Amino acid sequence: MSTDLYTFPITKTSESKIKYFDWDHLDFGKNFSDHMFLMEYDNGSWGQGEIVPFANLSMHPAMSAIHYGQAIFEGLKANRTVNNEVVLFRPDMNARRFNKSAERMCMPTIPEDLFVEAIRQLVALDNEWVTFREGHSLYIRPFMYATDELVGIRPSRTYKFLIITTPVGQYYSEPVNVKIEKSYTRAALGGVGGAKAAGNYAASMYPALQAQNEGYHQLIWTDAAEHKYIEESGTMNIVFQIGNKLITPDENQDTILRGITKRSVFEIAEKWNVEVEERMVTVAEIIEAARNGSLKDAFGAGTAATIAPIAMIGYEDEKFMLPPVEERLLSNKIKKYLGDLKSGRIADEFGWNLYV
Ligand code: PLP
Ligand code: COI
């Protein structure tokens, strides 16, 4: 990719907010860096993208995204390495997934190199917001929404694409308790579960809240037809270790998000000759493994969540405790490897870091 293929005009903020920023009290996603990327779609093509001071947007009350939900997003992180460089983790994967979401939601796609280059230039400008602190990153949120001013239902003809960034620490500060959901569903065959569409998250909130009221952090979704197969969690993909084997639900039915963290975990595991399986995973086999002690580990994998150990799985009226986190040698090793790779402490043998 030629990095000078795209040059975006930059309007700088008159005063950086970074000096007022409290790095010791980071609430996930509540604070934003100084600038954002903005590009508009009209008359069948994208206009000139630009980097502007972070600011509110105005909107028409009939703007179609807020009525009919044509809105998609992505999430990735920038990290500062031990050599004081800033790197993005696999942004090409986000570009590809964003376009897959766009197609499913009848929205225009964005050239992948433009998507990546816009992120790169924005993060380069706001690079002071990428901290050295262990476990901290600059979370990057590209998103697109429909802007036609119309109460009628049809795909919008105008869109806004933005990228905003927010310094973050851990999404989950402790091992999570998850409940296998048997009544509600996140995604059905033929639906939009494979897209990172805003409405998927809206639809998940009510069931997730019920689970939170029962003391869980999150749900494990199951298939819509029978609640027999494991799908994913609300904010991350799910990986199990039974014996020495890593197992995760496959993505072939497009009911789960094709997670980049999970893909990376599996690519690392394969390189290390760990036995891996991506296939349909039944609730019954996980519960059986939890009962007979062969379920050595279960963890979530996601950009925000990173590798999030699962402490307890609730199913029907039972609660299954998993082994202590310090005994989970494989996922701990993978988590450390990923952290070391992103912070430049080890060689990037997969070529996953894009230098800003
Ligand atoms: N599944 C859902 C529903 C998510 O929101 C996320 C987070 O992005 C993931 C899985 C994990 O995907 P990734 O590893 O690409 O962040
Ligand atoms: C991400 O991990 O990027 C997500 O989109 C999940 C969200 C809970 C922040």
Side-chain angles (χ1 to χ4, degrees), residues 81 88 96 236 264 289:
T81 71
L88 303 171
R96 209 168 310 143
M236 51 199 189
S264 306

Side-chain angles (χ1 to χ4, degrees), residues 91-160:
D92 52 316
M93 301 275 280
N94 297 92
R96 209 168 310 143
R97 188 170 67 187
F98 190 75
N99 282 340
K100 185 171 177 283
S101 301
E103 278 167 11
R104 180 63 182 84
M105 304 305 288
C106 288
M107 301 167 88
T109 56
I110 293 180
E112 286 177 22
D113 54 356
L114 189 159
F115 181 99
V116 172
E117 190 52 20
I119 294 172
R120 200 190 65 75
Q121 291 185 27
L122 177 65
V123 173
L125 180 64
D126 279 349
N127 77 82
E128 280 183 55
W129 293 84
V130 189
T131 166
F132 280 111
R133 291 177 177 227
E134 192 60 35
H136 288 62
S137 312
L138 186 66
Y139 182 85
I140 302 159
R141 171 53 61 85
F143 60 104
M144 190 204 311
Y145 60 94
T147 55
D148 272 9
E149 299 161 1
L150 173 82
V151 165
I153 300 192
R154 58 153 172 74
S156 181
R157 291 171 191 152
T158 60
Y159 295 87
K160 275 193 194 338

Side-chain angles (χ1 to χ4, degrees), residues 97 186 196 201 232 234-237 257 259-261 301-303:
R97 188 170 67 187
R186 175 184 175 275
K196 210 159 164 61
Y201 295 81
E232 64 175 326
T235 52
M236 51 199 189
N237 294 113
L257 200 72
I260 296 160
T261 315
T303 296

Side-chain angles (χ1 to χ4, degrees), residues 4 40 48 76 79 89-90 102 124 144 150 172 199 208 226 239 262 298 314 317 352:
D4 51 22
E40 296 185 22
Q48 172 67 56
L76 68 156
N79 296 291
F89 186 70
R90 309 189 80 175
M144 190 204 311
L150 173 82
Y172 294 113
E226 299 177 275
V239 182
K262 177 198 63 172
D317 295 328
W352 286 341

